[in-house]
């Protein structure tokens, strides 16, 4: 596909006021941002086309979290649709400025248009047997919604069903696809599987002012789902893209991790 045709195909309708933990500031879309997103999407698509899998977990760098030793902030599940074989992204997004979320299905171009910090990404490729079960879930939207809670929390605790965020949703979908012992039909069951299999969330050491300020001034940040002994010690455990990668890579089942360099800003 020629670049111009590719860019036109990727420029789908943008999500309205739906973000994955970004600042929610209304910023005009600049030609440079559009170029970076579309070139990155083209690079990612080419790499996905070369992989022997119809479903991949894709992480992006929406914010700078280097002070927490984290690189990727938001994950979605990328899969080929039938019969056109196009790549689509299924992910959970926050309704900006609220405590609500919904599931979105978008093209790769849109995935990189959401107020990015950098345009590098990471692909987590499941082993064939898990990919098959995950793709079956993606083709049944009702199954995806079994593990969706509309109440959003940017720092949702991984072992509570009170809230959910983008990475929690992805992690629980992967748990449902991985489970061989029993069919996972609820968030409680997905979290039980994760506990039994040793999933370790990322722990953020937040100061009390940061924690209390977030709860007071942001509708999409809460801490009341975290255990008191952790919360009052300013130890906030949550699901990061890095923790998802570390957990499944350590299972030694054939999961593959590949980092993909994105487009770079022009130097004038």
């Amino acid at each position: 596909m020629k670049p111009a045709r590719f860019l036109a195909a990727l420029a789908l309708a943008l999500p309205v006021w739906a973000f994955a933990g970004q600042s929610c500031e209304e910023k005009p879309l600049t030609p440079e941002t559009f170029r970076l997103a579309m070139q990155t999407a083209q690079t990612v698509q080419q790499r996905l086309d070369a992989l022997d899998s119809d479903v991949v977990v894709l992480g992006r760098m929406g914010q700078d979290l280097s002070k927490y030793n984290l690189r990727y902030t938001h994950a979605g599940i990328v899969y080929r649709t039938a019969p056109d074989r196009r790549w689509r992204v299924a992910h959970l997004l926050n309704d900006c400025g609220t405590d609500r979320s919904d599931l979105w299905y978008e093209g790769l171009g849109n995935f990189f248009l959401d107020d990015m910090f950098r345009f590098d990404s990471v692909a987590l490729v499941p082993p064939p047997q898990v990919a098959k079960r995950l793709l079956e879930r993606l083709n049944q939207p009702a199954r995806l919604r079994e593990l969706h809670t509309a109440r959003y929390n940017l720092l949702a605790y991984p072992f509570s069903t009170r809230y959910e965020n983008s990475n929690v949703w992805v992690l629980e979908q992967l748990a449902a696809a991985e489970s061989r012992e029993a069919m996972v039909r609820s968030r409680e069951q997905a979290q039980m599987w994760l506990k039994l299999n040793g999933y370790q969330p990322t722990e953020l050491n937040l100061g009390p002012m940061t924690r209390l300020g977030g709860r007071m001034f942001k509708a999409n940040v809460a801490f009341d789902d975290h255990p008191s002994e952790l919360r009052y010690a300013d130890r906030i455990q949550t699901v990061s893209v890095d923790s998802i990668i570390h957990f499944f890579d350590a299972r030694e089942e054939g999961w593959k991790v590949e980092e993909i360099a994105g487009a770079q800003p022009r130097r004038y």
Side-chain angles (χ1 to χ4, degrees):
M1 182 181 292
K2 294 181 179 179
R5 292 178 58 192
F6 175 84
L7 297 183
L10 287 178
L12 306 176
L14 301 183
V16 180
W17 294 106
F19 296 83
Q22 265 76 345
S23 62
C24 289
E25 296 176 4
E26 188 175 4
K27 297 179 181 179
L29 177 63
T30 67
E32 175 67 356
T33 297
F34 185 80
R35 180 191 71 82
L36 290 168
M38 296 304 143
Q39 286 190 3
T40 297
Q42 184 175 22
T43 298
V44 170
Q45 178 177 303
Q46 290 171 345
R47 188 61 205 127
L48 293 177
D49 287 341
L51 296 174
D52 188 22
S53 180
D54 286 341
V55 59
V56 172
V57 178
L58 188 66
R60 69 186 185 194
M61 302 176 69
Q63 299 180 64
D64 180 7
L65 294 181
S66 57
K67 66 179 179 180
Y68 299 112
N69 295 315
L70 300 174
R71 294 196 66 197
Y72 302 99
T73 59
H74 171 77
I77 305 174
V78 187
Y79 65 106
R80 286 190 187 272
T81 58
D84 57 16
R85 302 284 292 165
R86 292 183 179 179
W87 291 102
R88 300 289 286 175
V89 185
H91 55 156
L92 181 151
L93 293 174
N94 176 217
D95 294 336
C96 196
T98 76
D99 65 349
R100 312 301 291 180
S101 73
D102 206 346
L103 303 183
W104 288 75
Y105 304 88
E106 306 183 293
L108 282 171
N110 279 14
F111 188 72
F112 293 103
L113 274 172
D114 196 1
D115 193 18
M116 302 297 295
F117 167 63
R118 289 184 60 178
F119 287 85
D120 298 337
S121 58
V122 61
L124 177 64
V125 186
Q129 66 276 15
V130 179
K132 180 176 181 294
R133 293 193 292 269
L134 185 56
L135 193 59
E136 289 172 352
R137 295 187 62 82
L138 290 160
N139 288 321
Q140 301 177 63
R143 297 290 305 280
L144 300 181
R145 288 197 174 273
E146 288 176 346
L147 306 182
H148 175 231
T149 296
R151 294 192 68 191
Y152 181 90
N153 179 9
L154 179 64
L155 294 172
Y157 183 62
F159 302 117
S160 169
T161 60
R162 182 174 299 176
Y163 307 108
E164 193 171 30
N165 63 29
S166 310
N167 296 336
V168 171
W169 181 80
V170 168
L171 177 63
E172 292 181 4
Q173 295 295 337
L174 296 180
E178 270 271 14
S179 176
R180 302 180 187 85
E181 302 84 0
M183 182 175 291
V184 171
R185 303 302 297 265
S186 70
R187 295 192 62 203
E188 290 87 353
Q189 291 173 337
Q191 291 176 10
M192 180 60 68
W193 185 90
L194 289 164
K195 284 183 178 180
L196 291 174
N197 285 274
Y199 169 74
Q200 293 294 319
T202 293
E203 185 167 290
L204 306 177
N205 296 108
L206 302 182
M209 295 306 295
T210 299
R211 177 170 56 82
L212 293 175
R215 188 66 187 102
M216 291 172 62
F217 300 112
K218 293 185 178 180
N220 61 0
V221 178
F223 298 96
D224 55 347
D225 56 335
H226 292 253
S228 297
E229 62 272 19
L230 295 177
R231 183 167 82 242
Y232 295 129
D234 299 319
R235 297 167 54 201
I236 302 303
Q237 294 186 349
T238 192
V239 177
S240 67
V241 178
D242 299 71
S243 72
I244 295 174
I245 292 172
H246 293 157
F247 173 65
F248 286 103
D249 189 40
R251 289 179 63 79
E252 298 183 350
E253 296 175 332
W255 290 79
K256 299 176 183 177
V257 180
E258 180 171 337
E259 294 186 316
I260 306 172
Q264 298 298 317
R266 290 193 176 102
R267 297 184 182 276
Y268 295 99

